[in-house]
């Protein structure tokens, strides 16, 4: 995790991200001149006693709403450490994750989720047969009337979770 290549990749990824100029509570902005200084800070000896800095809370306008959305901004260094952990943990956890989960997962998106739902809603009639050459004799498929799709949105869930 703390190899030179991983540290460079984490620094570069945070530098190329959209929010790289948004400072955390320490006020540090990620300028090109500072990139090299993070290489030594991300060494294993420095991370063995790592404690994350407090999160800077900012409120941004929410389209179509009067109430602003709270946004937590970690420090640049904390983002790099988080990225290092993501490099290590993601491949291990993703293999064991729910195959029906599409939210906030690398390589998955809302379009794939809709495709998965559509595949599960289709059914072929019982008399639907395949010929010897595996070509459908009846290519019609129908939406099932026996399946139910539930959409659950827990409003402001992450805002109500204790971050302590």
């Amino acid at each position: 995790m703390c190899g030179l290549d991983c540290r460079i990749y984490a620094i570069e990824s945070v530098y190329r991200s959209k929010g790289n100029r948004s400072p955390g509570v320490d006020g540090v902005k990620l300028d090109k001149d500072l990139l090299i200084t993070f290489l030594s800070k991300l060494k294993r000896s420095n991370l063995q006693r790592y404690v994350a800095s407090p999160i800077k809370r900012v409120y941004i306008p929410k389209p179509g709403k009067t109430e602003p959305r709270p946004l937590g901004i970690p420090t640049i260094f904390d983002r790099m450490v988080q990225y290092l952990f993501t490099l290590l943990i993601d491949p291990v956890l993703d293999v064991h994750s729910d195959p029906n989960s599409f939210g906030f997962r690398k390589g998955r998106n809302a379009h794939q989720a809709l495709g998965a739902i559509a595949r599960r809603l289709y059914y072929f009639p019982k008399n639907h047969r395949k010929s010897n050459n595996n070509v459908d004799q009846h290519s019609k498929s129908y939406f099932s009337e026996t399946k139910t799709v539930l959409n659950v949105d827990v409003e402001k869930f992450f805002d109500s979770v204790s971050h302590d």
Side-chain angles (χ1 to χ4, degrees), residues 17-33:
S17 69
K18 284 191 237 178
N20 76 347
R21 297 230 180 250
S22 303
V25 292
D26 60 358
V28 174
K29 292 182 181 181
L30 188 55
D31 296 321
K32 199 171 193 173
D33 302 335

Side-chain angles (χ1 to χ4, degrees), residues 68-136:
R69 186 179 124 208
L71 188 65
I73 303 176
T75 63
I76 298 292
F77 180 68
D78 287 344
R79 286 181 236 175
M80 291 176 183
V81 173
Q82 290 169 7
Y83 201 87
L84 281 175
F85 276 96
T86 301
L87 285 174
L88 181 70
I89 293 173
D90 259 2
V92 176
L93 292 181
D94 201 56
V95 185
H96 302 289
S97 295
D98 182 358
N100 300 309
S101 172
F102 291 86
F104 304 103
R105 286 183 64 190
K106 192 175 276 187
R108 293 186 172 222
N109 58 43
H111 295 290
Q112 292 169 326
L114 288 173
I117 291 170
R119 279 191 304 278
R120 286 173 181 84
L121 289 177
Y122 278 115
Y123 82 100
F124 293 97
K126 289 181 182 178
N127 64 353
H128 186 273
R129 290 179 266 147
K130 291 187 180 204
S131 65
N132 290 341
N133 61 3
N134 282 340
V135 177
D136 290 340

Side-chain angles (χ1 to χ4, degrees), residues 41-60:
K41 288 182 182 180
L42 290 171
K43 282 187 177 176
R44 183 176 183 197
S45 58
N46 293 339
L47 295 179
Q48 287 177 328
R49 289 175 295 282
Y50 168 74
V51 176
S53 301
I55 300 290
K56 180 179 179 181
R57 182 64 82 175
V58 177
Y59 293 90
I60 59 171

